[in-house]
Amino acid sequence: MQDLGIQVLFEGINFERLLKGLWISLKLGLISMLFSVILGLLLGCVMAGKNRIIKFLCRVYLEIVRIMPQLVLLFLVYFGAAKHFGADISGETAAVIVFTFWGTAEMGDLVRSALISIPKHQYESGYSLGLSKLQLYVNIIMPQTFQRLLPSAVNLLTRMIKTTSLVVLIGVVEVVKVGKQIIDASRYDNPKAALWIYGTIFLLYFAVCYPISKLSSALERRLKV
Amino acid sequence: MRKKLLCLLLVVAVLSALTACTTGNGRKKAANSTTARSLEEIKSSKKIRIGVFSDKNPFGYVDENGEVQGYDVYFAKRIAKDMLGSEDAVEFVYVEAANRVEYLQSGKVDIILANFTVTKERAEKVDFALPYMKVALGIVSPDNALITDVSQLNGKTLIVVKGTTAETYFGENHPEIKLLKFDEYQEAYDALSDGRGDAFSTDNTEVLAWALQNKGFTVGVESVGSLDSIAPAVQKGNAELLDWINDEIAALEPEQFFHKAFEETLAPVYGDSVSADSLVVEGGKIE
């Protein structure tokens, strides 16, 4: 039994701690995604517009997000804000800000590409039916955009949940960090703990992300009809 | 032009994000938290914030009940007790090796007690108090070809981990020793077990603990190279708190507090292989 290493999961409240860590990851991912979807939809519509200056600015924003590592952004918001503006932001708030900043850009680009992928005749048919611009978007364009958007948006959400493992560097203890703490605490009496802990974390991530992608494919199927 | 725009946009974005959240999260003294809290402020808040490691057993780690433990933590609790009257009057902030300086500079913790080795570069950014521990390099080798002196390594292969003090020390001072470098500790230990090198060197605390767990290997050289000290750190310029810590460390000398801390936290791990005197520093005095 001593050699198995699996008992590390059941010592004290270790497993409960892992689950709590998972909840932090999930919570950060979901809240950020919620904001990203709302802001990203707006941004996408703006980006699909014709104003060249606005388009250029959006492009710049998108490039910044893509070029800057999320870690740098996290440090900027968490430590930089405190150092230069005296703003003491909690680690979790900083994480939500950064992930929203990132998610909005990605989401905006997804919305933009989904919008412009709608064939022109869809717009023209709508107008020829006498629909107003609002009616056109609500009844014809948005439903189709949504359907095209869903797979990539879900992909973004699962990526976001997994990227939350970075927030440990701004002091937020999420599931991977809890795992490292457990492995380290038992490194003298249970050197094989690492395999079990990382294996469990793998399963936990899977348990969270798999239902999300299942849900999206179910939604997709329903929307197709 | 484009670069300027980029910068401008970034600033605007970060700023707007900040204003959005500071209003919602206005803590007590948002106005000037850039500078660390004074002794008075800590005392009136009845809680001191101390940054510790949460995965550096046995110095700072979280046990199976979710409680933070270790040598550094033991001292942190004593600081809380002597400053604020209760061992529990401390808020532990879990830091990483890479962000310890940032935590102090941004005033998010009052003291860092995270196995912080005193170096010249770091001393430019933070203020170190008196040391409470010392580390040197140790050399571990197989029992059947035990290295008990650095001179025995002449012409042999020594395993080191990249970025450690061992790499710098042997590279600069012992060109006659062949170095075999690895990125991670695990690889280095594997290489030693496989016999790809004659010995392995890194911090003595690390090799001593490893040798205990691995039969057939012994730390033949317990202390080589320059002696590094480990000390509490506060934000640069926070003289009041620094003086308080220095007085505290001096005041703890008569009762041999750090020897007691050693017995409580390090002895269970190191057993008889390490004497307290080779690690512990009392009253900030390194002989």
Side-chain angles (χ1 to χ4, degrees):
Chain A
M1 192 62 198
Q2 191 57 42
D3 287 326
L4 269 177
I6 190 172
Q7 72 269 23
V8 71
L9 282 175
F10 307 108
E11 274 163 18
I13 53 164
N14 279 355
F15 196 66
E16 194 186 323
R17 285 169 57 209
L18 275 177
L19 288 181
K20 272 189 189 147
L22 183 70
W23 168 238
I24 301 273
S25 301
L26 192 61
K27 190 175 72 179
L28 290 179
L30 288 176
I31 297 177
S32 310
M33 194 60 194
L34 180 73
F35 286 130
S36 300
V37 168
I38 297 170
L39 297 173
L41 280 174
L42 293 174
L43 183 74
C45 294
V46 171
M47 280 167 95
K50 291 202 173 57
N51 189 326
R52 290 181 68 179
I53 297 170
I54 291 179
K55 271 168 108 165
F56 174 72
L57 287 178
C58 292
R59 195 76 225 158
V60 172
Y61 165 50
L62 191 62
E63 288 304 322
I64 290 174
V65 175
R66 288 202 175 143
I67 292 166
M68 284 275 255
Q70 275 99 30
L71 194 56
V72 175
L73 291 172
L74 285 171
F75 266 59
L76 257 180
V77 173
Y78 186 65
F79 294 116
K83 254 192 261 178
H84 303 294
F85 308 110
D88 192 8
I89 308 169
S90 79
E92 291 193 16
T93 317
V96 169
I97 293 172
V98 170
F99 283 113
T100 306
F101 183 70
W102 165 44
T104 303
E106 295 270 349
M107 196 66 200
D109 200 39
L110 295 175
V111 172
R112 182 194 59 87
S113 59
L115 273 176
I116 59 172
S117 74
I118 308 286
K120 212 177 165 198
H121 61 77
Q122 295 285 330
Y123 291 85
E124 286 165 354
S125 323
Y127 283 131
S128 61
L129 284 171
L131 296 177
S132 72
K133 199 168 181 180
L134 184 70
Q135 285 172 319
L136 174 81
Y137 270 89
V138 171
N139 296 312
I140 298 177
I141 308 300
M142 276 309 179
Q144 294 185 72
T145 311
F146 189 62
Q147 189 187 330
R148 287 171 198 208
L149 204 56
L150 205 57
S152 37
V154 169
N155 184 21
L156 181 62
L157 173 62
T158 48
R159 251 166 68 212
M160 216 176 249
I161 292 172
K162 284 177 281 187
T163 315
T164 52
S165 57
L166 285 179
V167 299
V168 61
L169 280 153
I170 56 167
V172 181
V173 180
E174 46 64 65
V175 61
V176 176
K177 183 65 189 181
V178 175
K180 283 186 186 155
Q181 290 174 347
I182 296 174
I183 291 166
D184 187 74
S186 50
R187 78 168 163 150
Y188 297 116
D189 28 78
N190 192 347
K192 285 185 185 136
L195 184 68
W196 291 99
I197 296 293
Y198 283 131
T200 310
I201 292 174
F202 164 77
L203 289 177
L204 287 177
Y205 271 126
F206 182 80
V208 165
C209 294
Y210 187 68
I212 294 176
S213 44
K214 265 280 166 236
L215 186 73
S216 94
S217 48
L219 263 175
E220 224 176 309
R221 244 176 290 126
R222 267 188 58 191
L223 285 168
K224 263 203 180 107
V225 184
Chain B
M1 180 60 204
R2 200 182 153 129
K3 225 175 176 179
K4 261 189 191 165
L5 248 174
L6 268 160
C7 287
L8 187 82
L9 210 86
L10 185 73
V11 170
V12 171
V14 172
L15 269 178
S16 56
L18 289 182
T19 41
C21 69
T22 36
T23 42
N25 202 345
R27 281 224 200 147
K28 325 138 217 153
K29 36 164 301 201
N32 59 344
S33 68
T34 319
T35 46
R37 300 192 297 170
S38 67
L39 203 53
E40 274 309 301
E41 285 172 299
I42 295 171
K43 279 180 179 163
S44 64
S45 80
K46 296 195 170 59
K47 206 110 204 193
I48 182 163
R49 293 175 306 191
I50 299 182
V52 294
F53 277 136
S54 66
D55 56 359
K56 283 283 173 299
N57 193 355
F59 300 101
Y61 66 98
V62 183
D63 70 8
E64 68 272 17
N65 295 315
E67 303 279 341
V68 62
Q69 306 283 359
Y71 183 76
D72 293 340
V73 174
Y74 196 83
F75 181 35
K77 285 183 178 164
R78 180 62 189 250
I79 288 178
K81 194 177 162 209
D82 290 344
M83 186 187 288
L84 304 163
S86 161
E87 273 195 0
D88 301 320
V90 48
E91 180 189 333
F92 286 108
V93 178
Y94 297 156
V95 301
E96 303 291 315
N99 64 17
R100 288 175 295 190
V101 172
E102 295 283 337
Y103 262 104
L104 284 176
Q105 287 184 332
S106 59
K108 286 193 183 267
V109 297
D110 302 312
I111 307 174
I112 287 278
L113 272 180
N115 228 257
F116 216 4
T117 309
V118 182
T119 66
K120 241 187 260 156
E121 295 79 38
R122 285 174 185 159
E124 282 167 15
K125 294 175 188 152
V126 303
D127 279 343
F128 284 106
L130 293 171
Y132 61 99
M133 215 180 105
K134 57 189 174 189
V135 282
L137 299 173
I139 301 175
V140 61
S141 47
D143 287 344
N144 51 21
L146 194 63
I147 307 284
T148 52
D149 193 271
V150 181
S151 60
Q152 292 174 338
L153 280 169
N154 204 333
K156 292 191 174 162
T157 306
L158 179 71
I159 301 165
V160 292
V161 177
K162 286 179 197 163
T164 58
T165 38
E167 184 195 5
T168 356
Y169 174 76
F170 286 103
E172 283 172 8
N173 301 301
H174 293 280
E176 76 279 9
I177 301 173
K178 274 179 274 174
L179 294 184
L180 180 60
K181 300 176 183 181
F182 291 97
D183 284 315
E184 285 179 33
Y185 277 93
Q186 199 52 51
E187 292 173 302
Y189 286 129
D190 288 345
L192 180 65
S193 309
D194 298 348
R196 274 178 278 166
D198 299 295
F200 170 56
S201 177
T202 187
D203 286 355
N204 53 7
T205 50
E206 175 69 30
V207 284
L208 285 164
W210 185 81
L212 271 184
Q213 296 301 315
N214 292 270
K215 291 204 177 67
F217 291 92
T218 306
V219 179
V221 183
E222 273 193 27
S223 177
V224 63
S226 59
L227 202 60
D228 282 322
S229 54
I230 286 177
V234 299
Q235 195 182 61
K236 192 119 200 109
N238 195 355
E240 206 187 10
L241 184 60
L242 191 71
D243 291 345
W244 190 94
I245 299 171
N246 284 341
D247 292 346
E248 170 81 0
I249 289 176
L252 290 174
E253 192 186 359
E255 59 170 286
Q256 296 285 292
F257 173 79
F258 291 106
H259 278 81
K260 223 176 110 222
F262 178 91
E263 288 307 319
E264 292 280 328
T265 58
L266 303 187
V269 173
Y270 295 129
D272 300 329
S273 68
V274 189
S275 65
D277 291 320
S278 68
L279 289 179
V280 162
V281 176
E282 292 286 358
K285 291 171 216 150
I286 297 182
E287 290 90 44

